[in-house]
Amino acid sequence: MTSQEPATPTPPRYAERTYRSPAALVGGILLLLLGVWLAGDALLRGDTHTRLTAVCALLLGVPLVTAYTLRPLVRAGDDTLTVRNPFRTITLPWGAVEDLRASFSTEVFTTTGKYQLWAIPVSLRQRKKAGRQATRGADGTRPRFGPNADAGPPPRAAADQALDELRDLKERAERRADVRTDAATDARTDARTDARTDGRTDGRTDGRSANEPVVRWSYPVIVPAVLGAIGLAVLIAV
């Protein structure tokens, strides 16, 4: 009777986290509504030149407003960090992420460079407010009871909280990667042993590209904006 080896425990998987700027979403929707209202009025009441100008303005303005307000997003999963900026989408395996920082803007540093996180803006006003609350809490001046009671650590700025969560996900991914590496090493050792026994050579694959960022440009945003800019330039010059 053969004894079965204990299976390697599977690390728990967590739901993806998505980060967006609520202020940017609201501002983008309002700008789009304003632009559609103005362009619609020009299309209904203007002459041919005015209508063409309105169409080109929409081709230029709608993609740009969408790119800078509605499009930015950061999605953090178990294995990858997806950064969707105005004109490109960067997929980063956690193994490629070296650091996450927030000074005047939030940035992710990788083995090949750095990328800005447009979806997580830094509010200096919010950070100063959190710093003042932390100072009051450290001095013991915050009341223990009442609506302003000290119920725990002082709140932090939203950008700092988001980066703390992303760093935590990165640490979890590193622990899972260590488990997978150990399991893969054992599997390769067994395979090489079997290959030597059978007189075969083991194939090796180059995994250097597994941790490289993947950058994709957003052509549905870029192409209409370029066409609109060219159209406006032609109409203004005529």
Side-chain angles (χ1 to χ4, degrees), residues 2-234:
T2 59
S3 60
Q4 296 181 351
E5 296 182 357
T8 303
T10 303
R13 302 185 69 87
Y14 301 89
E16 289 186 340
R17 299 186 184 182
T18 302
Y19 302 89
R20 307 188 79 160
S21 172
L25 293 175
V26 174
I29 293 174
L30 293 177
L31 286 175
L32 288 176
L33 292 176
L34 177 62
V36 170
W37 175 61
L38 294 175
D41 183 71
L43 290 173
L44 292 175
R45 302 182 182 182
D47 55 14
T48 302
H49 188 274
T50 302
R51 291 176 181 176
L52 290 176
T53 303
V55 171
C56 292
L58 285 176
L59 281 176
L60 175 62
V62 171
L64 291 181
V65 172
T66 302
Y68 283 100
T69 59
L70 306 183
R71 178 177 161 79
L73 175 143
V74 172
R75 181 182 294 112
D78 288 332
D79 302 318
T80 58
L81 175 67
T82 302
V83 180
R84 198 170 71 188
N85 283 342
F87 300 110
R88 59 182 179 174
T89 300
I90 305 101
T91 302
L92 302 168
W94 283 115
V97 177
E98 293 185 343
D99 195 10
L100 293 148
R101 303 177 192 171
S103 53
F104 295 102
S105 63
T106 54
E107 296 173 330
V108 54
F109 290 80
T110 69
T111 54
T112 58
K114 66 177 181 179
Y115 304 94
Q116 186 174 349
L117 307 181
W118 284 74
I120 307 178
V122 174
S123 173
L124 297 180
R125 179 176 178 274
Q126 194 178 58
R127 183 174 284 175
K128 290 179 180 179
K129 180 179 179 181
R132 289 195 299 267
Q133 291 179 350
T135 302
R136 289 199 299 268
D139 293 341
T141 57
R142 297 177 63 188
R144 300 299 302 177
F145 303 97
N148 297 322
D150 185 0
R156 302 188 65 194
D160 296 329
Q161 290 180 354
L163 289 192
D164 288 343
E165 294 174 359
L166 292 177
R167 293 189 187 102
D168 182 59
L169 290 174
K170 179 179 180 298
E171 292 176 359
R172 294 177 185 174
E174 289 174 349
R175 290 194 293 268
R176 286 193 299 271
D178 292 338
V179 173
R180 293 171 183 170
T181 301
D182 294 339
T185 301
D186 295 340
R188 284 196 298 269
T189 302
D190 295 341
R192 290 171 183 171
T193 302
D194 295 340
R196 293 192 188 100
T197 303
D198 298 340
R200 295 180 284 105
T201 58
D202 58 326
R204 298 180 181 178
T205 58
D206 187 4
R208 288 178 296 177
S209 62
N211 286 332
E212 291 182 358
V214 178
V215 179
R216 299 189 305 274
W217 290 94
S218 178
Y219 292 106
V221 172
I222 297 173
V223 173
V226 171
L227 293 177
I230 294 174
L232 279 179
V234 171

